[in-house]
Amino acid sequence: MSDDTDHGHDIAPATRVVTAGRRDEWTRGIVNTPVWRASTILYDDVADLRAAAGKDTHHRLFYGRRGTPTQWSLADALTQLEPGAEGTFLYPSGVAAIAGCLLAILSPGDELLVTDSAYDPTRSMAGGLLRRMGITTRFYDPLIGAGIADLIGPATRAIVMESPGSLTFEVQDVPAIAAAARARGVATVLDNTWATPLLFPAIAHGVDYTILACTKYVVGHSDVMLGSVTAAPGRFAALRDTAFQLGQVTGPDDAWLASRGLRTMAVRLKQHQDSALAIARWLDAQPGVARVLHPALPSCPGHDVWARDFAGSSGLFSFVLDGGDERARAALINTLAHFGIGYSWGGYESLALPVDPHRYRTATTPDVAGPLVRLQIGLEDPGDLIADLDRGLAAFRAARG
Ligand SMILES: *Cc1c(COP(=O)(O)O)cnc(C)c1O
């Protein structure tokens, strides 16, 4: 269980980010838990070996696949950042975390409900791996809220949420969906990569399993793939058993880099938030921009839910162009000097990506009339980024005609 108090006072999230997961027996006085690399662990004698085999290996050296203090420290830190959580398991990517979580919950014959705004690889997993295992999926309107109750049937075992949605940023009413699910004994899973527990403590809002693509804000430096699932009380053992059976293990070097990134996550997020908000508001007033999809702006679907539930916003949002085609959108993106063109996000560098949400929808049609551009706002000076986008929009307007 996470310990949220210090002599009876609540510890602020920014302080927890610095202190969480650090234990003397793992660090030996070193600030960042060092890299403990291991496959074989040696035992004192046969009796010691036999005794270890019968015990719970949580936080005990047993064999490299069960981890070392480097991974345990990061997992513990993520648990401590999530008030009310029982435990966290790490995975070699965000997608592996989603798979590990769903395989811990679902069995053949079960039905899964997935938000229509979900990250595309989550959809592919439902239509591929899960379907092959005899698990059916129905996609639902991300703005369904408490209406999810009407979709829950006798075979429904889990509900996947992602808030805000990957490309279109609809903010989901997570507490309402979690309450409806709980009333029917259905497990809830949230992809919380955009907000992290610092901006949306998911388990405190009723979620059973909260997932981070740590590749994004936890790592923060665009150089490591990593994922995590943090479980509510009573849910961790199933998660860990499934991960062990799947042979999932995260390399200690990657876990160490992620622990190093985590310590600055609160200040990075604050800067991502401030710069992204300034740029989103500037874009909202520009000719050539039809609409900005940023949860903190009233034009974003679910904005009121964001204002009610979230402690802030991060650095990823989209904007809809006013007319134009693929070529005009490419003129904008190709003109940008300070934005890289590439997948992923959450690092220190800005990125711009052409995205086409209509391709990935089956239950709803996103309210996006023109070409869409997704921006990840990095840690550069926001004035430079605005000047860059100004040149890009001029190129877009010229190409659009
Ligand atoms: C990137 C991402 C993932 C997957 O993370 P990887 O580490 O790239 O596998 C999952 N969910 C969301 C919302 C993402 O943006």
mmCIF file of all heavy atoms in Angstrom, residues 25-60:
data_model
loop_
_atom_site.group_PDB
_atom_site.id
_atom_site.type_symbol
_atom_site.label_atom_id
_atom_site.label_comp_id
_atom_site.label_asym_id
_atom_site.label_seq_id
_atom_site.Cartn_x
_atom_site.Cartn_y
_atom_site.Cartn_z
ATOM 1 N N GLU A 25 18.069 -0.338 1.702
ATOM 2 C CA GLU A 25 18.674 -1.625 1.345
ATOM 3 C C GLU A 25 18.861 -1.774 -0.162
ATOM 4 O O GLU A 25 19.588 -2.651 -0.613
ATOM 5 C CB GLU A 25 17.891 -2.797 1.937
ATOM 6 C CG GLU A 25 16.570 -3.099 1.256
ATOM 7 C CD GLU A 25 15.350 -2.654 2.054
ATOM 8 O OE1 GLU A 25 15.373 -1.557 2.643
ATOM 9 O OE2 GLU A 25 14.368 -3.417 2.081
ATOM 10 N N TRP A 26 18.212 -0.931 -0.938
ATOM 11 C CA TRP A 26 18.376 -0.976 -2.395
ATOM 12 C C TRP A 26 19.399 0.057 -2.871
ATOM 13 O O TRP A 26 20.051 -0.138 -3.895
ATOM 14 C CB TRP A 26 17.034 -0.690 -3.102
ATOM 15 C CG TRP A 26 15.968 -1.713 -2.815
ATOM 16 C CD1 TRP A 26 16.157 -2.965 -2.299
ATOM 17 C CD2 TRP A 26 14.563 -1.567 -3.029
ATOM 18 N NE1 TRP A 26 14.947 -3.608 -2.183
ATOM 19 C CE2 TRP A 26 13.959 -2.773 -2.628
ATOM 20 C CE3 TRP A 26 13.753 -0.541 -3.522
ATOM 21 C CZ2 TRP A 26 12.578 -2.980 -2.695
ATOM 22 C CZ3 TRP A 26 12.383 -0.743 -3.607
ATOM 23 C CH2 TRP A 26 11.803 -1.952 -3.190
ATOM 24 N N THR A 27 19.479 1.195 -2.159
ATOM 25 C CA THR A 27 20.319 2.300 -2.635
ATOM 26 C C THR A 27 21.671 2.350 -1.926
ATOM 27 O O THR A 27 22.630 2.874 -2.482
ATOM 28 C CB THR A 27 19.609 3.646 -2.415
ATOM 29 O OG1 THR A 27 19.327 3.768 -1.029
ATOM 30 C CG2 THR A 27 18.315 3.727 -3.208
ATOM 31 N N ARG A 28 21.750 1.835 -0.680
ATOM 32 C CA ARG A 28 22.992 1.878 0.120
ATOM 33 C C ARG A 28 23.582 3.276 0.162
ATOM 34 O O ARG A 28 24.783 3.457 0.010
ATOM 35 C CB ARG A 28 24.034 0.906 -0.449
ATOM 36 C CG ARG A 28 23.523 -0.497 -0.734
ATOM 37 C CD ARG A 28 23.471 -1.334 0.526
ATOM 38 N NE ARG A 28 22.745 -2.571 0.302
ATOM 39 C CZ ARG A 28 23.307 -3.728 -0.046
ATOM 40 N NH1 ARG A 28 24.603 -3.806 -0.209
ATOM 41 N NH2 ARG A 28 22.557 -4.792 -0.204
ATOM 42 N N GLY A 29 22.708 4.276 0.271
ATOM 43 C CA GLY A 29 23.188 5.653 0.380
ATOM 44 C C GLY A 29 23.290 6.381 -0.947
ATOM 45 O O GLY A 29 23.451 7.594 -0.996
ATOM 46 N N ILE A 30 23.217 5.631 -2.042
ATOM 47 C CA ILE A 30 23.257 6.266 -3.365
ATOM 48 C C ILE A 30 21.871 6.856 -3.643
ATOM 49 O O ILE A 30 20.858 6.262 -3.264
ATOM 50 C CB ILE A 30 23.651 5.210 -4.423
ATOM 51 C CG1 ILE A 30 25.105 4.778 -4.184
ATOM 52 C CG2 ILE A 30 23.458 5.746 -5.841
ATOM 53 C CD1 ILE A 30 25.486 3.501 -4.895
ATOM 54 N N VAL A 31 21.812 8.025 -4.284
ATOM 55 C CA VAL A 31 20.515 8.685 -4.431
ATOM 56 C C VAL A 31 19.586 7.902 -5.367
ATOM 57 O O VAL A 31 18.496 7.500 -4.979
ATOM 58 C CB VAL A 31 20.688 10.146 -4.909
ATOM 59 C CG1 VAL A 31 19.326 10.784 -5.178
ATOM 60 C CG2 VAL A 31 21.429 10.962 -3.845
ATOM 61 N N ASN A 32 20.011 7.685 -6.608
ATOM 62 C CA ASN A 32 19.162 6.930 -7.540
ATOM 63 C C ASN A 32 19.525 5.455 -7.414
ATOM 64 O O ASN A 32 20.697 5.085 -7.568
ATOM 65 C CB ASN A 32 19.391 7.416 -8.980
ATOM 66 C CG ASN A 32 18.398 6.811 -9.983
ATOM 67 O OD1 ASN A 32 17.364 6.258 -9.600
ATOM 68 N ND2 ASN A 32 18.714 6.913 -11.258
ATOM 69 N N THR A 33 18.543 4.603 -7.132
ATOM 70 C CA THR A 33 18.791 3.161 -6.989
ATOM 71 C C THR A 33 19.669 2.677 -8.144
ATOM 72 O O THR A 33 19.315 2.863 -9.305
ATOM 73 C CB THR A 33 17.469 2.381 -7.009
ATOM 74 O OG1 THR A 33 16.585 2.958 -6.043
ATOM 75 C CG2 THR A 33 17.686 0.909 -6.693
ATOM 76 N N PRO A 34 20.830 2.101 -7.849
ATOM 77 C CA PRO A 34 21.747 1.715 -8.933
ATOM 78 C C PRO A 34 21.185 0.574 -9.794
ATOM 79 O O PRO A 34 20.169 -0.027 -9.468
ATOM 80 C CB PRO A 34 22.999 1.230 -8.197
ATOM 81 C CG PRO A 34 22.862 1.697 -6.805
ATOM 82 C CD PRO A 34 21.398 1.819 -6.525
ATOM 83 N N VAL A 35 21.903 0.295 -10.874
ATOM 84 C CA VAL A 35 21.514 -0.805 -11.761
ATOM 85 C C VAL A 35 21.989 -2.117 -11.146
ATOM 86 O O VAL A 35 23.186 -2.344 -11.005
ATOM 87 C CB VAL A 35 22.141 -0.634 -13.158
ATOM 88 C CG1 VAL A 35 21.690 -1.772 -14.075
ATOM 89 C CG2 VAL A 35 21.766 0.702 -13.757
ATOM 90 N N TRP A 36 21.049 -2.952 -10.754
ATOM 91 C CA TRP A 36 21.353 -4.316 -10.294
ATOM 92 C C TRP A 36 21.061 -5.225 -11.486
ATOM 93 O O TRP A 36 19.900 -5.493 -11.782
ATOM 94 C CB TRP A 36 20.456 -4.722 -9.144
ATOM 95 C CG TRP A 36 20.591 -3.988 -7.837
ATOM 96 C CD1 TRP A 36 20.461 -2.658 -7.606
ATOM 97 C CD2 TRP A 36 20.835 -4.590 -6.555
ATOM 98 N NE1 TRP A 36 20.602 -2.384 -6.266
ATOM 99 C CE2 TRP A 36 20.831 -3.547 -5.601
ATOM 100 C CE3 TRP A 36 21.047 -5.915 -6.115
ATOM 101 C CZ2 TRP A 36 21.030 -3.779 -4.237
ATOM 102 C CZ3 TRP A 36 21.234 -6.132 -4.762
ATOM 103 C CH2 TRP A 36 21.239 -5.072 -3.838
ATOM 104 N N ARG A 37 22.115 -5.685 -12.155
ATOM 105 C CA ARG A 37 21.905 -6.583 -13.302
ATOM 106 C C ARG A 37 22.044 -8.015 -12.820
ATOM 107 O O ARG A 37 23.008 -8.335 -12.111
ATOM 108 C CB ARG A 37 22.964 -6.348 -14.378
ATOM 109 C CG ARG A 37 22.824 -5.067 -15.136
ATOM 110 C CD ARG A 37 23.696 -5.126 -16.389
ATOM 111 N NE ARG A 37 23.852 -3.799 -16.941
ATOM 112 C CZ ARG A 37 24.782 -2.937 -16.554
ATOM 113 N NH1 ARG A 37 25.664 -3.274 -15.641
ATOM 114 N NH2 ARG A 37 24.839 -1.750 -17.109
ATOM 115 N N ALA A 38 21.125 -8.885 -13.233
ATOM 116 C CA ALA A 38 21.228 -10.271 -12.779
ATOM 117 C C ALA A 38 20.403 -11.205 -13.645
ATOM 118 O O ALA A 38 19.330 -10.837 -14.118
ATOM 119 C CB ALA A 38 20.730 -10.391 -11.332
ATOM 120 N N SER A 39 20.949 -12.392 -13.895
ATOM 121 C CA SER A 39 20.079 -13.509 -14.248
ATOM 122 C C SER A 39 20.151 -14.469 -13.051
ATOM 123 O O SER A 39 19.200 -14.574 -12.283
ATOM 124 C CB SER A 39 20.496 -14.185 -15.567
ATOM 125 O OG SER A 39 21.838 -14.613 -15.517
ATOM 126 N N THR A 40 21.314 -15.104 -12.849
ATOM 127 C CA THR A 40 21.455 -16.036 -11.721
ATOM 128 C C THR A 40 21.614 -15.307 -10.390
ATOM 129 O O THR A 40 22.341 -14.320 -10.299
ATOM 130 C CB THR A 40 22.695 -16.924 -11.948
ATOM 131 O OG1 THR A 40 22.472 -17.699 -13.122
ATOM 132 C CG2 THR A 40 22.957 -17.845 -10.766
ATOM 133 N N ILE A 41 20.918 -15.830 -9.392
ATOM 134 C CA ILE A 41 21.109 -15.408 -8.001
ATOM 135 C C ILE A 41 21.687 -16.629 -7.279
ATOM 136 O O ILE A 41 21.142 -17.737 -7.415
ATOM 137 C CB ILE A 41 19.763 -15.029 -7.337
ATOM 138 C CG1 ILE A 41 18.967 -14.041 -8.210
ATOM 139 C CG2 ILE A 41 19.975 -14.523 -5.917
ATOM 140 C CD1 ILE A 41 19.557 -12.677 -8.399
ATOM 141 N N LEU A 42 22.768 -16.486 -6.556
ATOM 142 C CA LEU A 42 23.402 -17.619 -5.870
ATOM 143 C C LEU A 42 22.867 -17.764 -4.443
ATOM 144 O O LEU A 42 22.651 -16.763 -3.756
ATOM 145 C CB LEU A 42 24.918 -17.424 -5.829
ATOM 146 C CG LEU A 42 25.595 -17.347 -7.210
ATOM 147 C CD1 LEU A 42 27.072 -16.991 -7.043
ATOM 148 C CD2 LEU A 42 25.433 -18.656 -7.976
ATOM 149 N N TYR A 43 22.664 -19.013 -4.035
ATOM 150 C CA TYR A 43 22.154 -19.321 -2.694
ATOM 151 C C TYR A 43 23.286 -19.862 -1.823
ATOM 152 O O TYR A 43 24.263 -20.410 -2.332
ATOM 153 C CB TYR A 43 20.998 -20.318 -2.790
ATOM 154 C CG TYR A 43 19.813 -19.696 -3.517
ATOM 155 C CD1 TYR A 43 19.731 -19.730 -4.909
ATOM 156 C CD2 TYR A 43 18.822 -19.030 -2.808
ATOM 157 C CE1 TYR A 43 18.679 -19.120 -5.577
ATOM 158 C CE2 TYR A 43 17.763 -18.411 -3.471
ATOM 159 C CZ TYR A 43 17.697 -18.459 -4.857
ATOM 160 O OH TYR A 43 16.672 -17.847 -5.500
ATOM 161 N N ASP A 44 23.130 -19.752 -0.502
ATOM 162 C CA ASP A 44 24.201 -20.158 0.429
ATOM 163 C C ASP A 44 24.405 -21.667 0.408
ATOM 164 O O ASP A 44 25.527 -22.159 0.444
ATOM 165 C CB ASP A 44 23.841 -19.745 1.871
ATOM 166 C CG ASP A 44 23.891 -18.235 2.031
ATOM 167 O OD1 ASP A 44 24.497 -17.567 1.152
ATOM 168 O OD2 ASP A 44 23.305 -17.724 3.005
ATOM 169 N N ASP A 45 23.304 -22.412 0.381
ATOM 170 C CA ASP A 45 23.391 -23.872 0.382
ATOM 171 C C ASP A 45 22.051 -24.420 -0.129
ATOM 172 O O ASP A 45 21.147 -23.650 -0.457
ATOM 173 C CB ASP A 45 23.720 -24.412 1.793
ATOM 174 C CG ASP A 45 22.783 -23.877 2.857
ATOM 175 O OD1 ASP A 45 21.599 -23.588 2.528
ATOM 176 O OD2 ASP A 45 23.212 -23.731 4.014
ATOM 177 N N VAL A 46 21.931 -25.717 -0.183
ATOM 178 C CA VAL A 46 20.719 -26.329 -0.749
ATOM 179 C C VAL A 46 19.488 -25.962 0.076
ATOM 180 O O VAL A 46 18.420 -25.678 -0.473
ATOM 181 C CB VAL A 46 20.893 -27.858 -0.859
ATOM 182 C CG1 VAL A 46 19.585 -28.534 -1.237
ATOM 183 C CG2 VAL A 46 21.978 -28.190 -1.878
ATOM 184 N N ALA A 47 19.654 -25.933 1.387
ATOM 185 C CA ALA A 47 18.507 -25.594 2.237
ATOM 186 C C ALA A 47 18.005 -24.184 1.928
ATOM 187 O O ALA A 47 16.791 -23.935 1.854
ATOM 188 C CB ALA A 47 18.906 -25.712 3.717
ATOM 189 N N ASP A 48 18.938 -23.266 1.692
ATOM 190 C CA ASP A 48 18.599 -21.876 1.372
ATOM 191 C C ASP A 48 17.834 -21.825 0.044
ATOM 192 O O ASP A 48 16.807 -21.141 -0.090
ATOM 193 C CB ASP A 48 19.911 -21.074 1.287
ATOM 194 C CG ASP A 48 19.691 -19.578 1.127
ATOM 195 O OD1 ASP A 48 18.673 -19.082 1.628
ATOM 196 O OD2 ASP A 48 20.552 -18.917 0.504
ATOM 197 N N LEU A 49 18.340 -22.588 -0.940
ATOM 198 C CA LEU A 49 17.685 -22.670 -2.253
ATOM 199 C C LEU A 49 16.260 -23.198 -2.127
ATOM 200 O O LEU A 49 15.312 -22.653 -2.675
ATOM 201 C CB LEU A 49 18.511 -23.591 -3.159
ATOM 202 C CG LEU A 49 17.960 -23.859 -4.554
ATOM 203 C CD1 LEU A 49 18.501 -22.825 -5.544
ATOM 204 C CD2 LEU A 49 18.349 -25.256 -5.031
ATOM 205 N N ARG A 50 16.121 -24.288 -1.372
ATOM 206 C CA ARG A 50 14.791 -24.895 -1.186
ATOM 207 C C ARG A 50 13.840 -23.941 -0.458
ATOM 208 O O ARG A 50 12.676 -23.832 -0.817
ATOM 209 C CB ARG A 50 14.903 -26.182 -0.355
ATOM 210 C CG ARG A 50 15.713 -27.267 -1.032
ATOM 211 C CD ARG A 50 14.834 -28.105 -1.951
ATOM 212 N NE ARG A 50 15.574 -29.258 -2.437
ATOM 213 C CZ ARG A 50 15.883 -29.470 -3.702
ATOM 214 N NH1 ARG A 50 15.504 -28.600 -4.638
ATOM 215 N NH2 ARG A 50 16.557 -30.539 -4.073
ATOM 216 N N ALA A 51 14.349 -23.248 0.519
ATOM 217 C CA ALA A 51 13.501 -22.344 1.305
ATOM 218 C C ALA A 51 13.000 -21.209 0.421
ATOM 219 O O ALA A 51 11.831 -20.810 0.492
ATOM 220 C CB ALA A 51 14.284 -21.788 2.491
ATOM 221 N N ALA A 52 13.879 -20.703 -0.454
ATOM 222 C CA ALA A 52 13.497 -19.577 -1.314
ATOM 223 C C ALA A 52 12.389 -19.982 -2.273
ATOM 224 O O ALA A 52 11.493 -19.195 -2.576
ATOM 225 C CB ALA A 52 14.710 -19.069 -2.076
ATOM 226 N N ALA A 53 12.427 -21.223 -2.762
ATOM 227 C CA ALA A 53 11.461 -21.683 -3.762
ATOM 228 C C ALA A 53 10.040 -21.688 -3.213
ATOM 229 O O ALA A 53 9.087 -21.547 -3.964
ATOM 230 C CB ALA A 53 11.845 -23.065 -4.260
ATOM 231 N N GLY A 54 9.900 -21.840 -1.919
ATOM 232 C CA GLY A 54 8.558 -21.903 -1.349
ATOM 233 C C GLY A 54 7.996 -20.560 -0.929
ATOM 234 O O GLY A 54 6.870 -20.469 -0.468
ATOM 235 N N LYS A 55 8.792 -19.510 -1.101
ATOM 236 C CA LYS A 55 8.367 -18.209 -0.554
ATOM 237 C C LYS A 55 7.869 -17.267 -1.637
ATOM 238 O O LYS A 55 8.192 -17.404 -2.803
ATOM 239 C CB LYS A 55 9.568 -17.547 0.141
ATOM 240 C CG LYS A 55 9.880 -18.136 1.500
ATOM 241 C CD LYS A 55 10.851 -17.227 2.243
ATOM 242 C CE LYS A 55 11.286 -17.869 3.560
ATOM 243 N NZ LYS A 55 12.719 -17.706 3.783
ATOM 244 N N ASP A 56 7.116 -16.273 -1.220
ATOM 245 C CA ASP A 56 6.709 -15.191 -2.119
ATOM 246 C C ASP A 56 7.980 -14.435 -2.526
ATOM 247 O O ASP A 56 8.777 -14.044 -1.672
ATOM 248 C CB ASP A 56 5.753 -14.269 -1.356
ATOM 249 C CG ASP A 56 5.219 -13.144 -2.240
ATOM 250 O OD1 ASP A 56 5.624 -13.063 -3.419
ATOM 251 O OD2 ASP A 56 4.405 -12.352 -1.739
ATOM 252 N N THR A 57 8.167 -14.256 -3.839
ATOM 253 C CA THR A 57 9.407 -13.610 -4.300
ATOM 254 C C THR A 57 9.291 -12.095 -4.399
ATOM 255 O O THR A 57 10.198 -11.437 -4.889
ATOM 256 C CB THR A 57 9.823 -14.159 -5.684
ATOM 257 O OG1 THR A 57 8.749 -13.939 -6.607
ATOM 258 C CG2 THR A 57 10.153 -15.631 -5.606
ATOM 259 N N HIS A 58 8.160 -11.529 -3.958
ATOM 260 C CA HIS A 58 7.991 -10.078 -4.049
ATOM 261 C C HIS A 58 9.090 -9.374 -3.250
ATOM 262 O O HIS A 58 9.247 -9.616 -2.052
ATOM 263 C CB HIS A 58 6.614 -9.708 -3.502
ATOM 264 C CG HIS A 58 6.223 -8.287 -3.815
ATOM 265 N ND1 HIS A 58 6.265 -7.767 -5.085
ATOM 266 C CD2 HIS A 58 5.800 -7.282 -3.009
ATOM 267 C CE1 HIS A 58 5.877 -6.502 -5.055
ATOM 268 N NE2 HIS A 58 5.587 -6.184 -3.812
ATOM 269 N N HIS A 59 9.873 -8.546 -3.943
ATOM 270 C CA HIS A 59 10.972 -7.805 -3.299
ATOM 271 C C HIS A 59 12.028 -8.713 -2.692
ATOM 272 O O HIS A 59 12.706 -8.336 -1.730
ATOM 273 C CB HIS A 59 10.438 -6.835 -2.225
ATOM 274 C CG HIS A 59 9.680 -5.678 -2.820
ATOM 275 N ND1 HIS A 59 8.971 -4.785 -2.075
ATOM 276 C CD2 HIS A 59 9.533 -5.276 -4.103
ATOM 277 C CE1 HIS A 59 8.415 -3.878 -2.876
ATOM 278 N NE2 HIS A 59 8.740 -4.171 -4.112
ATOM 279 N N ARG A 60 12.175 -9.956 -3.233
ATOM 280 C CA ARG A 60 13.257 -10.835 -2.774
ATOM 281 C C ARG A 60 13.994 -11.340 -4.005
ATOM 282 O O ARG A 60 13.369 -11.763 -4.987
ATOM 283 C CB ARG A 60 12.697 -12.023 -1.976
ATOM 284 C CG ARG A 60 12.121 -11.573 -0.634
ATOM 285 C CD ARG A 60 11.642 -12.732 0.220
ATOM 286 N NE ARG A 60 12.671 -13.740 0.385
ATOM 287 C CZ ARG A 60 12.592 -14.972 -0.093
ATOM 288 N NH1 ARG A 60 11.535 -15.354 -0.759
ATOM 289 N NH2 ARG A 60 13.569 -15.814 0.112
#
